[in-house]
Amino acid sequence: MLCYNCKKREGVHAVSDAHGEEIVLCEECYARLGAAAEYAALSGIEEGGRCPVCGRTYADYRRTGLVGCAVCYDTFREELLPVIRRMHGKTVHMGGHPLGDGKLYELLDERNRLRAELEGAIKRKDMAAADRLNKDIREISRIIYRSDLGGEDGQ
């Protein structure tokens, strides 16, 4: 049976609630959640009204704007999705780029990839590949620093 919390690893710790239902946690989640998970399960907290791990309610979220733990997102999914959609415009995390979308990020990513290849070529003592990679890195750096992609005055 998969872990109730992460749904990735095999559950090995079972805790029964007041209704006789079991919550099964893997080693990692049990170590991290431990007593909180046992308290939530043994206290007979209903899943729809309270988070089974931290015990917070949707009313707590409405009052503070904060969820108590990661399981709250699953517990209050139906209530939180419209709020998240209003705030962010979508409900699926698309990732972020530290310098924004577009060409600059792609160039920086390519330069980092080439630098990693350069290190490998140097370790292998492949000087021809290292020379080629070094030239490619310099060319990408020139494009990055002379273009309008960075900021004001091409910086």
Side-chain angles (χ1 to χ4, degrees), residues 2 6-7 28 47 49 51 77 80 83 88 106 109 126 129:
L2 287 179
C6 70
K7 295 174 182 46
E28 291 178 35
E47 216 173 297
C51 175
R77 179 178 176 79
L80 291 175
V83 175
H88 298 287
E106 291 172 14
D109 192 42
D126 184 354

Side-chain angles (χ1 to χ4, degrees), residues 13-95:
H13 293 279
V15 181
S16 297
D17 67 9
H19 304 291
E21 296 179 25
E22 284 188 348
I23 294 175
V24 182
L25 299 173
C26 66
E27 283 291 339
E28 291 178 35
C29 291
Y30 186 78
R32 192 175 68 244
L33 302 172
E38 286 187 33
Y39 170 76
L42 293 173
S43 65
I45 293 171
E46 294 297 324
E47 216 173 297
R50 289 190 176 271
C51 175
V53 174
C54 69
R56 296 204 58 163
T57 65
Y58 183 68
D60 293 335
Y61 164 75
R62 297 271 318 226
R63 190 176 68 255
T64 65
L66 302 170
V67 294
C69 68
V71 178
C72 287
Y73 288 101
D74 289 331
T75 305
F76 307 121
R77 179 178 176 79
E78 296 304 314
E79 294 89 353
L80 291 175
L81 281 178
V83 175
I84 293 169
R85 190 173 288 116
R86 271 195 313 271
M87 288 172 47
H88 298 287
K90 54 189 159 212
T91 58
V92 177
H93 180 66
M94 302 303 289

